[in-house]
């Protein structure tokens, strides 16, 4: 009995689905086709017999030599039914055939084997009809079906769905795409017929029924946006509209409107323009009648209330209540209750418009730290990982907050790509801390770079940066040295940097030991050579710095970092122009400078390099000795908040900053304050703000500095291109208070390393007559 060929198509097509149950259906169908395509036992010779010929019926577009190679059976070989069945399966797996079976014919000298196949149509042309919005070239890129290959109905359907999605993204919500399988079978042409329909664009968004919450606040919750010139298409998508309704409903309920409902209405004009109206039924806004704590024995009610933001008689807000539950649980985790669980339950009160909140607490057992073990560090010393966790057995409680902070500290070193601290064990009252890490792939970076800025002209850069350095791991062979198999594994850092340039030359060697003598003391040693061509003179510096720093993890200073640094350098002022300021001439020649500087920093931002929330405070004082005796005090503050997050999780960030400094005593010109340029005050040239002196009005800086500014940054395209609008204000020394308003873009390209590009246009709105202004400023750097 032969297996009907019409049963096999479609099942065999599912071979395209590499995973899942459909693939198994296809495999089973192939096996069944092979088995049922075999002759009945009466037709199969009882004893051994020889194949005298292998023939094919139904081949039209497939070469017979190809089919013979697939079946792998040759005249003269012994007839083997399992081999025949496998040959049929192999033919089907090529994707060229809709059906295949074998037939046997007895002869005097043996058996003739005949494979009967039905070929799939080969696609000889792919065309699109009815497409006006998208070019044929654009649509052809979306086609999974390829020319001169067997027709694949699943690839054609996938192409159809992709084209429909393209049109709907452009606002063609009624777009329809079809193709005719029978036409492909008859002619080999795959034709996609497109009915575009009317393009729907959102012209205006309105809100109705929002008696309590303002429309601008609701607008921030939705993702659909109206058309705005060529910047925003305003495409309408029903799926996005439904998702926006869900967001509005959740937002209302988060704000205490626990019965709120939302919907939308799309009023379409004759040209497809839509007035999109979101309607809200706010209902009652519920308040908190009472707050109860159930299951707490370790912490008193007073302590628990001090941890939460929710208050009785205030509106109930779900995000706040959830945050309160997490805060209580985290507090328990700080005291060794690592399995504590806290749930916030809301129950409607008998009094209308009120709810009762109960925090159900399961405290669990209190645990201390047992053993601390490290896993995953093949080349990095254990102590580099262990010292990040400030928990010491057997006296310390297992602090989960400290464990999470340790994970972040390990990632911040850039030595590890992943880090996780897990409590394990079954001993009563004790849990071991297992630190699992994954070492970063690179032992170090060797970068060549070039850049040009409006501050420093053209600058080259050659950098060797070893972030897991070991000063005492000497190489045994030259091979170990050049393959980074030595000087590695102690968590130290060595950075060599050469920066030759047209206006600026800087050469540095920096060494950092983050844990001096295995104690939480950071040791830094730096040697440098610096040369800068100023407007009317040349400034050269050579020297070094030594510093000790400490991050305070406990006590009143928790979250602060402190540093004491000693600097010794010689500063040479030469190549003075004829009419250079008298004050500059007084500093001409070699000047010996030594100083002792103390710095305190508190950083509460979410990211050290690209902060989006939090603040950073810096306070410092530096006392100079040597040829000049004076002091410099400074303070800086930066504050960040995220105003909105789009559907791609990209953030709109507002940043405010303030910086101030003052010179106590008489300082040489090269240690006074200057302002202007990127990083200081855009809209003014680099060091374009300061006091003037001499016939040529040399900028000699000022004895004090004030900088205040704000910046709003937003995503433009992808994750790497952002725009910003800013206001920079300030002054350096006497003269008018300056201000500049501007805009710009920041682009970070990744080409064998980061390539930052920043372009700014700023207009000074307040300046002093002697200032050097600069409307356009830029930074173009490279690392390759």
């Amino acid at each position: 009995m032969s297996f009907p060929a019409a049963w096999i198509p479609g099942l065999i097509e599912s071979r395209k689905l590499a995973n899942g149950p459909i693939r198994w259906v296809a495999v089973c169908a192939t096996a069944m086709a092979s088995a049922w395509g075999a002759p009945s036992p009466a037709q199969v010779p009882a004893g051994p017999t020889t194949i005298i010929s292998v023939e094919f019926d139904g081949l039209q577009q497939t070469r017979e030599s190809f089919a013979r190679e697939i079946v792998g059976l040759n005249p003269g070989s012994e007839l083997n039914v399992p081999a025949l069945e496998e040959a049929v399966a192999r033919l089907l797996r090529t994707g060229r055939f809709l059906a295949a079976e074998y037939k046997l014919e007895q002869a005097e000298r043996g058996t003739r084997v005949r494979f009967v196949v039905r070929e799939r149509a080969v696609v000889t042309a792919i065309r699109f009809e009815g497409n006006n919005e998208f070019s044929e070239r654009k649509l052809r890129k979306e086609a999974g079906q390829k020319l001169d290959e067997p027709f694949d109905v699943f690839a054609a359907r996938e192409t159809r769905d992709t084209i429909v999605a393209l049109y709907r993204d452009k606002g063609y919500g009624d777009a329809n795409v079809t193709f005719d399988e029978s036409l492909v079978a008859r002619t080999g042409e795959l034709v996609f017929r497109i009915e575009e329909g009317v393009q729907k664009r959102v012209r205006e968004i309105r809100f109705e029924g929002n008696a309590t919450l303002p429309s601008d606040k609701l607008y921030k919750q939705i993702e659909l946006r109206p058309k705005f010139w060529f910047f925003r298409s305003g495409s309408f998508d029903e799926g996005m509209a439904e998702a926006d309704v869900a967001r509005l409903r959740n937002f209302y309920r988060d704000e205490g409107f626990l019965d709120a409902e939302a919907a939308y209405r799309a009023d379409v004009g004759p040209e497809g323009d839509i007035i999109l109206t979101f309607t809200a039924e706010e209902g009652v806004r519920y308040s908190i009648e009472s707050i109860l704590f159930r299951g707490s024995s370790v912490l008193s009610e007073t302590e628990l209330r001090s941890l939460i933001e929710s208050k009785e008689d205030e509106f109930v807000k779900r995000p706040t209540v959830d945050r309160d539950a997490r805060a209580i649980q985290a507090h328990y985790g700080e005291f060794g209750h690592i399995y504590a669980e806290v749930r916030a339950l809301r129950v409607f009160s008998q009094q209308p418009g009120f709810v009762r909140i109960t925090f159900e607490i399961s405290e669990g057992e209190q645990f201390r730290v047992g053993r601390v073990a490290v896993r995953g560090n093949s080349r990095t010393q254990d102590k580099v990982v262990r010292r990040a966790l400030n928990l010491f057995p057997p006296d310390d409680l297992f602090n989960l907050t400290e464990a999470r902070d340790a994970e972040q500290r390990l990632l911040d070193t850039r030595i590890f790509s992943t880090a996780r601290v897990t409590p394990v064990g079954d001993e009563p009252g004790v849990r071991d801390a297992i630190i699992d890490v994954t070492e970063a792939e690179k032992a170090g970076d060797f970068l060549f770079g070039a850049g040009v800025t409006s501050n420093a002209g053209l600058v080259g850069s050659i950098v060797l940066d070893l972030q897991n350095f070991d000063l005492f791991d000497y190489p045994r062979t030259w091979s170990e040295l050049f393959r980074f198999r030595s000087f590695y594994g102690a968590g130290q850092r060595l950075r060599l940097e050469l920066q030759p340039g047209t206006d600026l030359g800087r050469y540095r060697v920096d060494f950092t030991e983050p844990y001096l003598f295995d104690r939480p003391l950071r040791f830094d040693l730096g040697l440098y050579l610096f040369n800068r061509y100023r407007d009317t003179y040349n400034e050269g510096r050579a020297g070094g710095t030594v510093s000790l720093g400490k991050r305070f993890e406990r006590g009143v200073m928790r979250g602060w970092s402190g540093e004491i640094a000693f600097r010794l350098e010689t500063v040479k002022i030469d190549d003075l122009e004829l009419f250079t300021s008298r004050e500059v001439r007084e500093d001409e020649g070699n000047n010996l400078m030594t100083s002792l500087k103390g710095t305190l920093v508190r950083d509460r931002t979410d990211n050290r390099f690209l902060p989006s929330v939090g603040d950073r405070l810096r306070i410092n004082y530096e006392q100079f000795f040597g040829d000049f005796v004076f002091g410099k005090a400074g303070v800086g503050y930066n504050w960040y908040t995220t105003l909105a997050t789009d559907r791609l999780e990209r953030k709109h960030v507002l940043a405010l900053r303030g910086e101030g400094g003052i010179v106590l005593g008489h300082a040489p010109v090269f240690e006074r304050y200057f302002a202007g340029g990127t990083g200081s005050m855009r809209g003014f040239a680099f060091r374009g703000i300061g006091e003037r002196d001499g016939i040529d009005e040399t900028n000699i800086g000022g004895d004090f500095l004030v900088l205040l500014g704000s910046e709003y940054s937003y995503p433009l395209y992808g994750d790497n291109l952002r725009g910003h609008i800013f206001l920079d204000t300030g002054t350096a020394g006497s003269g008018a208070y300056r201000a500049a308003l501007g805009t710009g873009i920041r682009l970070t390209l990744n080409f064998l390393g980061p390539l930052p590009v920043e372009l700014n246009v700023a207009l000074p709105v307040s300046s002093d007559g002697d200032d050097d202004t600069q409307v356009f400023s830029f930074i173009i750097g490279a690392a390759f």
Side-chain angles (χ1 to χ4, degrees), residues 338-453:
I338 59 179
Y339 301 121
E341 293 183 0
V342 180
R343 289 192 309 153
L345 303 180
R346 292 177 303 178
V347 178
F348 290 100
S349 170
Q350 293 180 351
Q351 183 180 355
F354 282 89
V355 295
R356 297 169 181 159
I357 296 177
T358 301
F359 291 99
E360 283 199 345
I361 302 169
S362 173
E363 295 178 327
E365 188 180 351
Q366 187 180 53
F367 292 93
R368 294 190 176 275
V369 182
R371 206 169 44 93
V372 177
V374 180
R375 299 188 304 201
N377 54 321
S378 58
R379 297 181 58 199
T380 304
Q381 298 174 19
D382 276 8
K383 68 178 183 180
V384 175
V385 183
R386 288 174 182 272
R387 65 197 184 193
L389 183 66
N390 292 322
L391 297 178
F392 305 98
D395 298 327
D396 281 5
L397 294 172
F398 203 119
N399 186 330
L400 280 184
T401 302
E402 168 56 35
R404 300 290 87 85
D405 290 345
E407 292 169 357
Q408 189 58 50
R409 285 194 291 271
L410 287 169
L411 294 177
D412 287 344
T413 64
R414 297 176 61 193
I415 297 173
F416 306 101
S417 55
T418 64
R420 185 68 181 172
V421 180
T422 309
V424 297
D426 52 13
E427 184 181 345
V430 176
R431 286 294 180 265
D432 296 334
I434 305 299
I435 311 176
D436 288 291
V437 295
T438 304
E439 292 179 330
E441 294 182 3
K442 295 190 297 183
D445 293 318
F446 187 50
L447 304 174
F448 294 89
V452 57
T453 77

Side-chain angles (χ1 to χ4, degrees), residues 110-132:
T111 303
R112 293 188 182 91
V113 179
R114 182 182 302 277
F115 290 95
V116 181
V117 298
R118 192 171 120 200
E119 290 185 320
R120 296 169 63 194
V122 173
V123 176
T124 57
I126 299 176
R127 294 191 292 106
F128 302 90
E129 295 180 354
N131 54 304
N132 295 315

